[in-house]
Amino acid sequence: EPEVTQTPSHQVTQMGQEVILRCVPISNHLYFYWYRQILGQKVEFLVSFYNNEISEKSEIFDDQFSVERPDGSNFTLKIRSTKLEDSAMYFCASGGRVEKLFFGSGTQLSVL
Amino acid sequence: QQQVKQSPQSLIVQKGGIPIINCAYENTAFDYFPWYQQFPGKGPALLIAIRPDVSEKKEGRFTISFNKSAKQFSLHIMDSQPGDSATYFCAASMDTGRRALTFGSGTRLQVQP
């Protein structure tokens, strides 16, 4: 079965540093998402991306966050100046013509 | 109004038992209700989903029951197996699932041999 690939699997950074989380969605998918899960808590929506623009974002997705699809295959989440509370597992997801979403295995971000 | 409330937080059943996980929602604009299964170190994986125009959907050993008037839905796992031990999340979305998923808080299921 096709899968969503995320890199790196773990990222450790210092508070205030910029991080870029990378995702390769399933190749013929049109809808792209970022979610995050703080340890032991529920999965939370960050942003959705369709037709090369943000289609929806949550209140978590403030000016410190941005997304990009730089080359037609990768989908990235950038956090400009990381805070301690940004520590979480970040999941990329993609969807095709039907509503089923496929999630990647996540990037565990630790902000020290 | 966007919350999805899930219970119980954890559940232990014996092999062959039928664990039931319940969810309730407030927003009547939700029209897509999936259940996700998550193993440690992995992303959520879609198990089964239902639309509000049906009251029940079955796929293999997994059944969703949906009560539109009560704004509740539940997951039943028939003949549960130790391999079903995982965290289960209900979720809800608008626009047939294209919009943001609002997840419940999760249920950690343990199926004992």
Side-chain angles (χ1 to χ4, degrees):
Chain A
E1 189 172 68
E3 52 180 36
V4 175
T5 305
Q6 288 187 245
T7 55
S9 56
H10 292 87
Q11 174 94 48
V12 180
T13 189
Q14 295 291 323
M15 191 168 58
Q17 294 296 303
E18 175 183 286
V19 295
I20 298 176
L21 310 183
R22 303 180 191 278
C23 169
V24 179
I26 294 170
S27 62
N28 59 348
H29 281 183
L30 304 172
Y31 300 85
F32 312 107
Y33 307 81
W34 284 100
Y35 286 81
R36 78 176 186 188
Q37 185 177 31
I38 295 171
L39 184 64
Q41 299 186 25
K42 64 181 178 181
V43 179
E44 298 176 296
F45 169 76
L46 293 178
V47 66
S48 60
F49 193 84
Y50 171 72
N51 203 24
N52 287 319
E53 61 182 23
I54 290 173
S55 47
E56 189 177 7
K57 60 183 180 179
S58 73
E59 58 190 23
I60 301 170
F61 194 88
D62 61 21
D63 291 345
Q64 294 301 310
F65 291 86
S66 62
V67 289
E68 200 174 44
R69 190 158 157 78
D71 56 14
S73 61
N74 292 284
F75 181 50
T76 62
L77 174 70
K78 182 192 292 187
I79 310 175
R80 259 181 276 282
S81 177
T82 50
K83 307 184 192 73
L84 295 175
E85 55 264 36
D86 293 328
S87 295
M89 179 74 88
Y90 287 80
F91 292 107
C92 173
S94 69
R97 296 192 180 278
V98 294
E99 62 233 348
K100 181 175 180 176
L101 284 195
F102 292 80
F103 283 78
S105 293
T107 294
Q108 180 65 55
L109 175 65
S110 297
V111 182
L112 305 179
Chain B
Q1 194 181 18
Q2 283 292 100
Q3 274 192 334
V4 176
K5 294 183 180 177
Q6 182 171 348
S7 63
Q9 192 173 6
S10 63
L11 191 52
I12 300 174
V13 299
Q14 296 295 315
K15 179 182 172 184
I18 305 176
I20 300 172
I21 305 170
N22 301 296
C23 284
Y25 64 97
E26 292 291 328
N27 189 346
T28 54
F30 286 144
D31 61 3
Y32 175 71
F33 302 89
W35 283 90
Y36 284 84
Q37 179 188 56
Q38 185 180 32
F39 293 106
K42 296 292 186 184
L46 180 66
L47 262 182
I48 185 173
I50 198 167
R51 305 268 186 90
D53 52 348
V54 297
S55 60
E56 186 175 280
K57 183 174 181 180
K58 186 179 291 189
E59 284 184 7
R61 295 185 294 108
F62 301 94
T63 300
I64 300 180
S65 298
F66 187 84
N67 185 330
K68 187 174 179 179
S69 60
K71 292 186 282 187
Q72 294 175 347
F73 58 110
S74 58
L75 177 71
H76 302 230
I77 305 175
M78 307 301 175
D79 187 28
S80 58
Q81 302 296 313
D84 296 329
S85 297
T87 300
Y88 292 80
F89 291 94
C90 63
S93 176
M94 294 182 279
D95 192 22
T96 66
R98 290 278 173 251
R99 302 279 303 277
L101 286 167
T102 299
F103 281 85
S105 52
T107 296
R108 184 172 293 184
L109 172 67
Q110 186 179 342
V111 181
Q112 294 182 332

